């Protein structure tokens, strides 16, 4: 049995959904599909999930929602009419949205999740209706059937019973169309995963039914060694290990969600990233192990949106527990951090900027100065992390020097270097304004002479 996930671009309009039907039809082993909400039809289009976020915000602000609600319904109505479906499905979708909009708003995050998740939920109903209409027996199955997630306040993750609950789907006769991106708590509260989280749903399903393969369909032929929107025609990655893929996804390869690897990794289920627009292309295989390739570097990822908390105190290195107490302050603000490079008298804590605001920063600085008696403590913003990843890197000397030289040649200053202890990745912190220039320079250094 194969579990497939079709991303937003694969289900963005009727033409794409017809391709999905053909892909599923082409292999009877494709029995379970997880689908996203309709994504961008063109580069300047708006994803349905983003339309829904705008809609929910308008409701919470008490402003008129008619235009926003119509924009969402029209996306489905256009798809349904082009697929030759009658009005019934649009009535189902409209009343579902109205019901969600009328639901309790006292918990804003819950209301937002409920509206956001309708994108996938209604698209799954529509796609199941379409499959059935063309003689492909299909069944919409709600995550209520067993995708159980944790309660707030942590990030959403599936609880172990999910895998037991959903294992029964292996015996359903029809093709299952399952909405991605969300689950329900034990108390029945809907919670969404992070953005891009339909990849996680597909992986959970693959693991639960013990699939032979998890196919993740997107709009590119494969995972490339660098973001194809920045580097022209980057080298295609044919095979990549779970570990390399996780590092690269976390560091900015938005093609596959980093948290989507854990469920399949645990069971050793191989993953194949494929293109809905070119399903015959072999795609990228994510596997437990792969033979050593020509280049020690498999991919280079970049991501912006980082801030650095810089703290200095004379003789910090002699003070037992300084680092722990600093991180405790960060923890008490419910902030997660990425790196903590340190020197004799100073330490930096690198974190994602979206967790900060003026108030939080002021509170942290005050506590660091008062409780830790730091001489200096300040936040710096607009940093990017550039991450070089490859299983072959640990057998290769001089790689860090080559990377540092390539970065310096762009004129950028390296603010931080961190070599992961697994030696599968090397991280450089730089000012965001240099991010793309640096990616191009590093790509040139490590891949320019690589042939596939
Ligand atoms: N290294 C990479 N390899 C392939 N695609 C990448 C990479 N980095 C970023 N991307 C982008 O990821 C996009 C696919 O992910 P996403 O938009 O989430 O698709 P989907 O709609 O299938 O979920 C591609 O169109 C591409 O622009
Ligand atoms: N629709 C959700 C979940 C998702 O995975 O979407 P996509 O497959 O378009 O990345 C989002 O936009 O975040």
């Amino acid at each position: 049995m194969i579990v497939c996930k079709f991303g937003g671009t694969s289900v963005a309009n009727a033409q794409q959904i017809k391709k999905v039907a053909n892909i599923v039809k082409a292999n009877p082993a494709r029995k379970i599909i997880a689908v996203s909400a309709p994504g961008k039809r063109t580069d300047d289009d708006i994803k349905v999930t983003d339309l829904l976020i705008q809609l929910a915000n308008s409701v919470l602000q008490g402003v008129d929602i008619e235009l926003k609600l119509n924009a969402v319904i029209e996306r489905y109505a256009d798809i349904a009419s082009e697929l030759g479906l009658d009005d019934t499905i649009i009535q189902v979708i409209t009343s579902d949205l109205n019901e969600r909009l009328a639901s309790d708003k006292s918990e804003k995050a819950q209301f937002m999740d409920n509206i956001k998740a309708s994108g996938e939920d209604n698209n799954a109903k529509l796609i199941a209706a379409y499959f059935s209409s063309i003689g492909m027996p299909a069944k919409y199955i709600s995550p209520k059937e067993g995708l159980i997630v944790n309660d707030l306040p942590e990030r959403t993750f599936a609880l172990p019973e999910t895998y037991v609950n959903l294992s029964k789907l292996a015996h359903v006769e029809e093709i299952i169309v399952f909405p991605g991106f969300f689950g329900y708590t034990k108390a029945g509260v809907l919670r969404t995963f992070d953005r891009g989280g339909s990849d996680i749903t597909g992986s959970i399903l693959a693991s639960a039914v013990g699939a032979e393969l998890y196919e993740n369909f997107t709009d590119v032929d494969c995972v490339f060694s660098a973001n194809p929107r920045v580097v022209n025609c980057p080298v295609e990655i044919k095979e990549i290990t779970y570990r390399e893929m996780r590092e690269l996804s976390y560091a900015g390869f938005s093609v596959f969600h980093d948290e989507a690897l854990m469920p399949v990794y645990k069971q050793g289920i191989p993953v194949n990233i494929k293109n809905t627009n070119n399903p015959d292309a072999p795609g990228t295989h994510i596997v437990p192990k792969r033979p050593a390739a020509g280049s020690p570097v498999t991919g280079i990822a970049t991501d912006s949106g980082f801030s650095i908390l810089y703290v200095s105190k004379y003789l910090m290195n002699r003070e037992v527990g300084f680092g722990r107490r600093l991180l405790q302050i960060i923890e008490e603000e419910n902030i997660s951090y990425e790196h903590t490079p340190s020197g004799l008298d100073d330490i930096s804590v690198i974190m994602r900027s979206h967790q900060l605001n003026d108030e939080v920063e002021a509170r942290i600085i005050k506590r660091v100065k008062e409780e830790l008696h730091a001489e200096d403590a300040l936040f710096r913003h607009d940093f990017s992390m550039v991450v070089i990843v490859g299983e072959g890197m640990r057998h290769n000397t001089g790689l860090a020097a080559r990377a540092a030289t390539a970065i310096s040649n762009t004129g950028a200053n390296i603010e931080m270097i961190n070599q992961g202890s697994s030696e599968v990745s090397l991280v450089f912190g730089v000012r965001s304004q240099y991010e793309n220039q640096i990616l191009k320079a590093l790509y040139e250094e490590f891949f320019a002479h690589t042939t596939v």
Side-chain angles (χ1 to χ4, degrees):
M1 175 177 296
I2 298 174
V3 171
C4 304
K5 178 259 176 174
F6 290 93
T9 47
S10 302
V11 290
N13 58 25
Q15 198 194 350
Q16 291 302 93
I17 293 174
K18 285 180 186 170
K19 291 181 192 169
V20 169
N22 288 333
I23 289 168
V24 175
K25 225 187 299 178
N27 187 345
R30 293 180 176 133
K31 286 282 295 165
I32 301 183
I33 72 166
V35 296
S36 285
K40 289 184 176 197
R41 293 160 292 188
T42 54
D43 276 354
D44 51 8
D45 197 12
I46 307 178
K47 291 175 108 176
V48 163
T49 307
D50 291 308
L51 291 176
L52 289 164
I53 292 170
Q54 290 175 13
L55 174 65
N57 278 329
S58 297
V59 173
L60 293 171
Q61 286 156 14
V63 298
D64 189 54
I65 59 161
E66 198 186 325
L67 283 177
K68 295 201 164 84
L69 177 58
N70 286 344
V72 174
I73 294 173
E74 263 168 36
R75 285 292 300 266
Y76 292 109
D78 286 350
I79 296 175
S81 83
E82 217 183 311
L83 290 176
L85 295 173
D86 66 26
D87 229 23
T88 326
I89 188 69
I90 297 309
Q91 282 165 18
V92 169
I93 292 173
T94 307
S95 62
D96 172 84
L97 270 165
N98 284 328
E99 205 175 299
R100 290 176 200 253
L101 289 167
S103 67
D104 179 32
K105 297 165 191 67
S106 54
E107 292 289 342
K108 288 186 180 161
Q110 275 178 26
F111 177 75
M112 175 59 84
D113 277 2
N114 195 14
I115 301 295
K116 262 198 290 184
S118 72
E120 306 1 65
D121 208 18
N122 286 322
N123 214 23
K125 291 174 202 163
L126 188 155
I127 291 169
Y130 171 62
F131 280 12
S132 301
S133 78
I134 56 166
M136 291 168 66
K139 193 172 178 184
Y140 154 81
I141 293 206
S142 165
K144 273 187 191 142
E145 301 280 323
L147 204 169
I148 310 296
V149 296
N150 61 312
D151 218 333
L152 288 166
E154 314 94 66
R155 294 162 66 117
T156 311
F157 58 85
L159 297 181
E161 55 263 47
T162 289
Y163 298 91
V164 180
N165 297 342
L166 296 181
S167 63
K168 64 176 186 261
L169 300 186
H171 310 294
V172 173
E173 292 232 327
E174 298 97 325
I175 295 158
I176 293 173
V177 186
F178 196 99
F181 195 36
F182 67 97
Y184 289 87
T185 66
K186 282 180 185 159
V189 176
L190 185 157
R191 286 195 73 190
T192 56
F193 294 120
D194 260 5
R195 292 302 303 268
S198 298
D199 290 337
I200 306 173
T201 307
S203 179
I204 291 169
L205 288 165
S207 171
V209 300
E212 70 198 77
L213 177 65
Y214 173 32
E215 289 180 325
N216 192 286
F217 282 90
T218 181
D219 67 341
V220 278
D221 272 356
C222 59
V223 179
F224 294 101
S225 49
N227 186 344
R229 289 179 189 267
V230 180
V231 171
N232 198 19
C233 295
V235 169
E236 297 185 359
I237 301 176
K238 294 196 165 107
E239 228 179 22
I240 187 168
T241 64
Y242 290 116
R243 190 158 64 153
E244 288 172 323
M245 192 65 218
R246 160 135 166 81
E247 296 264 359
L248 287 165
S249 296
Y250 186 71
F253 276 20
S254 55
V255 63
F256 193 64
H257 197 289
D258 68 291
E259 286 174 43
L261 279 166
M262 190 46 80
V264 279
Y265 166 76
K266 277 191 180 160
Q267 296 236 18
I269 297 169
V271 184
N272 190 191
I273 313 271
K274 284 176 78 76
N275 191 351
T276 296
N277 307 315
N278 184 16
D280 292 333
T284 297
H285 292 271
I286 308 176
V287 292
K289 271 192 183 155
R290 64 173 176 82
S295 167
V297 176
T298 301
I300 308 167
T302 59
D303 205 2
S304 56
F306 290 90
S307 296
I308 302 181
L309 167 63
Y310 172 81
V311 179
S312 79
K313 183 179 181 186
Y314 184 55
L315 292 179
M316 183 190 288
N317 61 320
R318 298 267 173 93
E319 199 173 316
V320 175
F322 189 93
R324 183 189 52 74
R325 281 181 289 140
L326 175 63
L327 293 178
Q328 176 92 35
I329 294 173
I330 306 286
E331 182 185 337
E332 281 166 19
E333 289 290 342
N334 204 20
I335 289 173
S336 62
Y337 68 92
E338 312 287 321
H339 308 280
T340 50
S342 62
L344 276 185
D345 296 331
D346 49 47
I347 182 165
S348 295
V349 185
I350 299 176
M351 55 198 99
R352 301 233 178 215
S353 315
H354 67 82
Q355 305 175 100
L356 299 169
N357 59 41
D358 289 349
E359 263 174 53
V360 171
E361 286 176 31
R363 253 195 326 261
I364 292 175
I365 299 289
K366 187 166 181 279
R367 286 190 64 187
V368 169
K369 287 193 170 165
E370 286 177 7
E371 295 170 30
L372 305 184
H373 308 290
E375 280 134 22
D376 207 359
L378 55 99
F379 274 96
R380 296 164 71 210
H381 302 290
D382 299 321
F383 288 93
S384 289
M385 296 297 132
V386 177
V387 186
I388 303 176
V389 175
E391 294 276 358
M393 279 167 50
R394 61 177 167 278
H395 308 298
N396 222 277
T397 46
L399 208 128
R402 278 172 70 192
T405 308
I407 295 175
S408 310
N409 288 342
T410 67
N413 185 35
I414 297 171
E415 311 276 342
M416 190 263 331
I417 303 182
N418 192 357
Q419 173 133 37
S421 42
S422 64
E423 287 191 55
V424 72
S425 67
L426 184 58
V427 185
F428 293 91
V430 294
R431 281 276 177 202
S432 290
Q433 73 204 77
Y434 294 102
E435 185 184 308
N436 287 350
Q437 239 178 304
I438 289 173
L439 178 57
K440 287 179 191 161
L442 288 173
Y443 183 82
E444 186 66 24
E445 175 65 33
F446 292 109
F447 290 99
H449 308 294
T450 310
T451 46
V452 208

mmCIF file with all atom_site columns, all heavy atoms in Angstrom, residues 5 7-8 36-37 47 49 120 181 195-199, ligand 2:
data_model
loop_
_atom_site.group_PDB
_atom_site.id
_atom_site.type_symbol
_atom_site.label_atom_id
_atom_site.label_alt_id
_atom_site.label_comp_id
_atom_site.label_asym_id
_atom_site.label_entity_id
_atom_site.label_seq_id
_atom_site.pdbx_PDB_ins_code
_atom_site.Cartn_x
_atom_site.Cartn_y
_atom_site.Cartn_z
_atom_site.occupancy
_atom_site.B_iso_or_equiv
_atom_site.pdbx_formal_charge
_atom_site.auth_seq_id
_atom_site.auth_comp_id
_atom_site.auth_asym_id
_atom_site.auth_atom_id
_atom_site.pdbx_PDB_model_num
ATOM   1   N N   . LYS A 1 5   ? 0.671  12.134 -0.528 1.00 0.00 ? 5   LYS A N   1
ATOM   2   C CA  . LYS A 1 5   ? 0.203  13.455 -0.078 1.00 0.00 ? 5   LYS A CA  1
ATOM   3   C C   . LYS A 1 5   ? 0.271  14.378 -1.299 1.00 0.00 ? 5   LYS A C   1
ATOM   4   O O   . LYS A 1 5   ? 1.280  14.398 -2.017 1.00 0.00 ? 5   LYS A O   1
ATOM   5   C CB  . LYS A 1 5   ? 1.096  13.993 1.042  1.00 0.00 ? 5   LYS A CB  1
ATOM   6   C CG  . LYS A 1 5   ? 0.702  15.394 1.521  1.00 0.00 ? 5   LYS A CG  1
ATOM   7   C CD  . LYS A 1 5   ? 1.581  16.490 0.950  1.00 0.00 ? 5   LYS A CD  1
ATOM   8   C CE  . LYS A 1 5   ? 1.131  17.875 1.356  1.00 0.00 ? 5   LYS A CE  1
ATOM   9   N NZ  . LYS A 1 5   ? 2.070  18.941 0.925  1.00 0.00 ? 5   LYS A NZ  1
ATOM   10  N N   . GLY A 1 7   ? 0.166  18.242 -2.303 1.00 0.00 ? 7   GLY A N   1
ATOM   11  C CA  . GLY A 1 7   ? 0.297  19.575 -1.713 1.00 0.00 ? 7   GLY A CA  1
ATOM   12  C C   . GLY A 1 7   ? -0.630 20.587 -2.352 1.00 0.00 ? 7   GLY A C   1
ATOM   13  O O   . GLY A 1 7   ? -1.318 20.288 -3.346 1.00 0.00 ? 7   GLY A O   1
ATOM   14  N N   . GLY A 1 8   ? -0.634 21.792 -1.804 1.00 0.00 ? 8   GLY A N   1
ATOM   15  C CA  . GLY A 1 8   ? -1.535 22.851 -2.250 1.00 0.00 ? 8   GLY A CA  1
ATOM   16  C C   . GLY A 1 8   ? -1.465 23.117 -3.750 1.00 0.00 ? 8   GLY A C   1
ATOM   17  O O   . GLY A 1 8   ? -2.498 23.298 -4.412 1.00 0.00 ? 8   GLY A O   1
ATOM   18  N N   . SER A 1 36  ? -3.959 18.805 0.693  1.00 0.00 ? 36  SER A N   1
ATOM   19  C CA  . SER A 1 36  ? -3.882 20.153 1.261  1.00 0.00 ? 36  SER A CA  1
ATOM   20  C C   . SER A 1 36  ? -5.069 20.973 0.779  1.00 0.00 ? 36  SER A C   1
ATOM   21  O O   . SER A 1 36  ? -5.839 20.531 -0.074 1.00 0.00 ? 36  SER A O   1
ATOM   22  C CB  . SER A 1 36  ? -2.594 20.838 0.799  1.00 0.00 ? 36  SER A CB  1
ATOM   23  O OG  . SER A 1 36  ? -1.502 20.309 1.482  1.00 0.00 ? 36  SER A OG  1
ATOM   24  N N   . ALA A 1 37  ? -5.156 22.201 1.287  1.00 0.00 ? 37  ALA A N   1
ATOM   25  C CA  . ALA A 1 37  ? -6.134 23.168 0.778  1.00 0.00 ? 37  ALA A CA  1
ATOM   26  C C   . ALA A 1 37  ? -5.636 23.658 -0.582 1.00 0.00 ? 37  ALA A C   1
ATOM   27  O O   . ALA A 1 37  ? -4.434 23.589 -0.858 1.00 0.00 ? 37  ALA A O   1
ATOM   28  C CB  . ALA A 1 37  ? -6.223 24.338 1.756  1.00 0.00 ? 37  ALA A CB  1
ATOM   29  N N   . LYS A 1 47  ? -2.949 31.500 -1.413 1.00 0.00 ? 47  LYS A N   1
ATOM   30  C CA  . LYS A 1 47  ? -3.378 30.164 -0.989 1.00 0.00 ? 47  LYS A CA  1
ATOM   31  C C   . LYS A 1 47  ? -4.702 30.266 -0.229 1.00 0.00 ? 47  LYS A C   1
ATOM   32  O O   . LYS A 1 47  ? -4.907 31.245 0.510  1.00 0.00 ? 47  LYS A O   1
ATOM   33  C CB  . LYS A 1 47  ? -2.366 29.564 -0.002 1.00 0.00 ? 47  LYS A CB  1
ATOM   34  C CG  . LYS A 1 47  ? -1.028 29.192 -0.572 1.00 0.00 ? 47  LYS A CG  1
ATOM   35  C CD  . LYS A 1 47  ? -0.095 28.736 0.543  1.00 0.00 ? 47  LYS A CD  1
ATOM   36  C CE  . LYS A 1 47  ? 0.114  27.250 0.463  1.00 0.00 ? 47  LYS A CE  1
ATOM   37  N NZ  . LYS A 1 47  ? 1.063  26.720 1.444  1.00 0.00 ? 47  LYS A NZ  1
ATOM   38  N N   . THR A 1 49  ? -5.476 28.722 2.415  1.00 0.00 ? 49  THR A N   1
ATOM   39  C CA  . THR A 1 49  ? -5.149 28.840 3.854  1.00 0.00 ? 49  THR A CA  1
ATOM   40  C C   . THR A 1 49  ? -4.917 30.303 4.241  1.00 0.00 ? 49  THR A C   1
ATOM   41  O O   . THR A 1 49  ? -5.356 30.741 5.310  1.00 0.00 ? 49  THR A O   1
ATOM   42  C CB  . THR A 1 49  ? -3.898 28.003 4.191  1.00 0.00 ? 49  THR A CB  1
ATOM   43  O OG1 . THR A 1 49  ? -4.113 26.684 3.718  1.00 0.00 ? 49  THR A OG1 1
ATOM   44  C CG2 . THR A 1 49  ? -3.606 27.977 5.677  1.00 0.00 ? 49  THR A CG2 1
ATOM   45  N N   . GLU A 1 120 ? -8.346 22.386 4.137  1.00 0.00 ? 120 GLU A N   1
ATOM   46  C CA  . GLU A 1 120 ? -8.040 20.995 3.788  1.00 0.00 ? 120 GLU A CA  1
ATOM   47  C C   . GLU A 1 120 ? -9.307 20.140 3.892  1.00 0.00 ? 120 GLU A C   1
ATOM   48  O O   . GLU A 1 120 ? -9.571 19.301 3.051  1.00 0.00 ? 120 GLU A O   1
ATOM   49  C CB  . GLU A 1 120 ? -7.035 20.340 4.703  1.00 0.00 ? 120 GLU A CB  1
ATOM   50  C CG  . GLU A 1 120 ? -5.664 20.840 5.043  1.00 0.00 ? 120 GLU A CG  1
ATOM   51  C CD  . GLU A 1 120 ? -5.101 22.102 4.533  1.00 0.00 ? 120 GLU A CD  1
ATOM   52  O OE1 . GLU A 1 120 ? -5.652 23.152 4.884  1.00 0.00 ? 120 GLU A OE1 1
ATOM   53  O OE2 . GLU A 1 120 ? -4.082 22.079 3.844  1.00 0.00 ? 120 GLU A OE2 1
ATOM   54  N N   . PHE A 1 181 ? -3.057 18.511 7.655  1.00 0.00 ? 181 PHE A N   1
ATOM   55  C CA  . PHE A 1 181 ? -2.855 19.754 8.412  1.00 0.00 ? 181 PHE A CA  1
ATOM   56  C C   . PHE A 1 181 ? -3.466 19.815 9.805  1.00 0.00 ? 181 PHE A C   1
ATOM   57  O O   . PHE A 1 181 ? -3.163 20.716 10.550 1.00 0.00 ? 181 PHE A O   1
ATOM   58  C CB  . PHE A 1 181 ? -3.398 20.920 7.555  1.00 0.00 ? 181 PHE A CB  1
ATOM   59  C CG  . PHE A 1 181 ? -2.989 22.306 7.954  1.00 0.00 ? 181 PHE A CG  1
ATOM   60  C CD1 . PHE A 1 181 ? -1.728 22.594 8.467  1.00 0.00 ? 181 PHE A CD1 1
ATOM   61  C CD2 . PHE A 1 181 ? -3.874 23.375 7.778  1.00 0.00 ? 181 PHE A CD2 1
ATOM   62  C CE1 . PHE A 1 181 ? -1.362 23.894 8.789  1.00 0.00 ? 181 PHE A CE1 1
ATOM   63  C CE2 . PHE A 1 181 ? -3.523 24.677 8.102  1.00 0.00 ? 181 PHE A CE2 1
ATOM   64  C CZ  . PHE A 1 181 ? -2.267 24.930 8.606  1.00 0.00 ? 181 PHE A CZ  1
ATOM   65  N N   . ARG A 1 195 ? 2.435  25.564 9.614  1.00 0.00 ? 195 ARG A N   1
ATOM   66  C CA  . ARG A 1 195 ? 2.241  25.757 8.175  1.00 0.00 ? 195 ARG A CA  1
ATOM   67  C C   . ARG A 1 195 ? 3.016  24.679 7.412  1.00 0.00 ? 195 ARG A C   1
ATOM   68  O O   . ARG A 1 195 ? 4.106  24.284 7.815  1.00 0.00 ? 195 ARG A O   1
ATOM   69  C CB  . ARG A 1 195 ? 2.740  27.150 7.738  1.00 0.00 ? 195 ARG A CB  1
ATOM   70  C CG  . ARG A 1 195 ? 1.932  28.315 8.268  1.00 0.00 ? 195 ARG A CG  1
ATOM   71  C CD  . ARG A 1 195 ? 0.470  28.291 7.905  1.00 0.00 ? 195 ARG A CD  1
ATOM   72  N NE  . ARG A 1 195 ? 0.152  28.246 6.494  1.00 0.00 ? 195 ARG A NE  1
ATOM   73  C CZ  . ARG A 1 195 ? -0.059 29.317 5.719  1.00 0.00 ? 195 ARG A CZ  1
ATOM   74  N NH1 . ARG A 1 195 ? 0.041  30.517 6.242  1.00 0.00 ? 195 ARG A NH1 1
ATOM   75  N NH2 . ARG A 1 195 ? -0.396 29.190 4.443  1.00 0.00 ? 195 ARG A NH2 1
ATOM   76  N N   . GLY A 1 196 ? 2.436  24.213 6.349  1.00 0.00 ? 196 GLY A N   1
ATOM   77  C CA  . GLY A 1 196 ? 3.063  23.130 5.566  1.00 0.00 ? 196 GLY A CA  1
ATOM   78  C C   . GLY A 1 196 ? 2.822  21.763 6.179  1.00 0.00 ? 196 GLY A C   1
ATOM   79  O O   . GLY A 1 196 ? 3.394  20.760 5.737  1.00 0.00 ? 196 GLY A O   1
ATOM   80  N N   . GLY A 1 197 ? 1.944  21.698 7.183  1.00 0.00 ? 197 GLY A N   1
ATOM   81  C CA  . GLY A 1 197 ? 1.803  20.484 7.982  1.00 0.00 ? 197 GLY A CA  1
ATOM   82  C C   . GLY A 1 197 ? 1.024  19.332 7.358  1.00 0.00 ? 197 GLY A C   1
ATOM   83  O O   . GLY A 1 197 ? 0.924  18.271 7.970  1.00 0.00 ? 197 GLY A O   1
ATOM   84  N N   . SER A 1 198 ? 0.516  19.495 6.142  1.00 0.00 ? 198 SER A N   1
ATOM   85  C CA  . SER A 1 198 ? -0.140 18.337 5.509  1.00 0.00 ? 198 SER A CA  1
ATOM   86  C C   . SER A 1 198 ? 0.883  17.235 5.229  1.00 0.00 ? 198 SER A C   1
ATOM   87  O O   . SER A 1 198 ? 0.527  16.054 5.177  1.00 0.00 ? 198 SER A O   1
ATOM   88  C CB  . SER A 1 198 ? -0.818 18.743 4.197  1.00 0.00 ? 198 SER A CB  1
ATOM   89  O OG  . SER A 1 198 ? -1.809 19.693 4.443  1.00 0.00 ? 198 SER A OG  1
ATOM   90  N N   . ASP A 1 199 ? 2.140  17.627 5.048  1.00 0.00 ? 199 ASP A N   1
ATOM   91  C CA  . ASP A 1 199 ? 3.212  16.621 4.894  1.00 0.00 ? 199 ASP A CA  1
ATOM   92  C C   . ASP A 1 199 ? 3.250  15.712 6.126  1.00 0.00 ? 199 ASP A C   1
ATOM   93  O O   . ASP A 1 199 ? 3.527  14.517 6.027  1.00 0.00 ? 199 ASP A O   1
ATOM   94  C CB  . ASP A 1 199 ? 4.590  17.302 4.794  1.00 0.00 ? 199 ASP A CB  1
ATOM   95  C CG  . ASP A 1 199 ? 4.795  18.068 3.502  1.00 0.00 ? 199 ASP A CG  1
ATOM   96  O OD1 . ASP A 1 199 ? 4.116  17.765 2.515  1.00 0.00 ? 199 ASP A OD1 1
ATOM   97  O OD2 . ASP A 1 199 ? 5.655  18.984 3.494  1.00 0.00 ? 199 ASP A OD2 1
HETATM 98  N N1  . LIG B 2 .   ? -2.506 24.502 3.715  1.00 0.00 ? 2   LIG B N1  1
HETATM 99  C C1  . LIG B 2 .   ? -1.577 24.485 4.818  1.00 0.00 ? 2   LIG B C1  1
HETATM 100 C C2  . LIG B 2 .   ? -0.926 23.123 5.006  1.00 0.00 ? 2   LIG B C2  1
HETATM 101 C C3  . LIG B 2 .   ? -0.038 22.608 3.895  1.00 0.00 ? 2   LIG B C3  1
HETATM 102 O O1  . LIG B 2 .   ? 0.702  21.652 4.050  1.00 0.00 ? 2   LIG B O1  1
HETATM 103 O O2  . LIG B 2 .   ? -0.111 23.275 2.720  1.00 0.00 ? 2   LIG B O2  1
HETATM 104 P P1  . LIG B 2 .   ? 0.859  23.046 1.412  1.00 0.00 ? 2   LIG B P1  1
HETATM 105 O O3  . LIG B 2 .   ? 0.766  21.616 0.999  1.00 0.00 ? 2   LIG B O3  1
HETATM 106 O O4  . LIG B 2 .   ? 0.277  23.995 0.382  1.00 0.00 ? 2   LIG B O4  1
HETATM 107 O O5  . LIG B 2 .   ? 2.282  23.422 1.798  1.00 0.00 ? 2   LIG B O5  1
HETATM 108 C C4  . LIG B 2 .   ? -0.562 25.599 4.642  1.00 0.00 ? 2   LIG B C4  1
HETATM 109 O O6  . LIG B 2 .   ? -0.680 26.383 3.725  1.00 0.00 ? 2   LIG B O6  1
HETATM 110 O O7  . LIG B 2 .   ? 0.309  25.738 5.463  1.00 0.00 ? 2   LIG B O7  1
#
